[in-house]
Amino acid sequence: MWPDEFNFILKDAQEVTLNVPSHDASEAQGQATRRQALKVRMSQEDYERIWPLAEARYRVQGDLSGKAITLIANNPHYQKWHPVDGGTEEDMSDSGKPFQTKYVVAHFLLDDVSEKADA
């Protein structure tokens, strides 16, 4: 299960379709596999906190109940969707001190989860 403490990261996720080029020589060239994914812009700090969850599949609850996600981080098949710089934002703290927040854009593969039922 996806840790509840990180649900806020998925709150504003955008559903996208990835066209992943085939690496299988037996398949026709130029054919791509279509995969559903979530595109998320999160703070660098939050990304570093979820990094240990990368490349593993987690079931999610709430609006995405019945789905599973996998954070794309190092998989060579998904290199085009590895985490990238998401820019920075300037802000002012309550004490009046300026600070900067760095962001990362990351993708999570999104799959349906089917439960096995007893016959």
Side-chain angles (χ1 to χ4, degrees):
M1 295 297 290
W2 178 254
D4 289 339
E5 67 189 270
F6 297 128
N7 284 343
F8 71 95
I9 291 172
L10 304 174
K11 183 180 173 222
D12 295 322
Q14 175 186 3
E15 285 195 42
V16 297
T17 301
L18 309 181
N19 290 311
V20 184
S22 174
H23 293 340
D24 186 352
S26 66
E27 290 187 29
Q29 287 186 330
Q31 265 190 339
T33 301
R34 297 173 59 86
R35 294 290 308 266
Q36 291 303 111
L38 296 176
K39 181 179 179 181
V40 179
R41 182 176 184 246
M42 69 187 96
S43 71
Q44 175 76 35
E45 182 180 317
D46 290 336
Y47 178 72
E48 290 171 3
R49 289 177 53 211
I50 67 166
W51 172 254
L53 306 178
E55 305 295 342
R57 190 169 187 244
Y58 294 91
R59 290 180 185 216
V60 289
Q61 298 296 318
D63 294 341
L64 296 171
S65 186
K67 303 281 185 179
I69 58 173
T70 306
L71 175 62
I72 299 171
N74 296 322
N75 189 318
H77 296 290
Y78 298 99
Q79 184 174 5
K80 184 175 177 181
W81 299 280
H82 284 182
V84 295
D85 181 9
T88 58
E89 289 183 11
E90 302 283 334
D91 210 346
M92 193 72 69
S93 69
D94 292 338
S95 65
K97 186 176 181 179
F99 68 94
Q100 190 177 61
T101 304
K102 294 181 180 181
Y103 288 89
V104 172
V105 174
H107 288 81
F108 292 83
L109 294 178
L110 183 63
D111 299 302
D112 288 325
V113 176
S114 58
E115 298 290 334
K116 293 184 178 179
D118 293 334

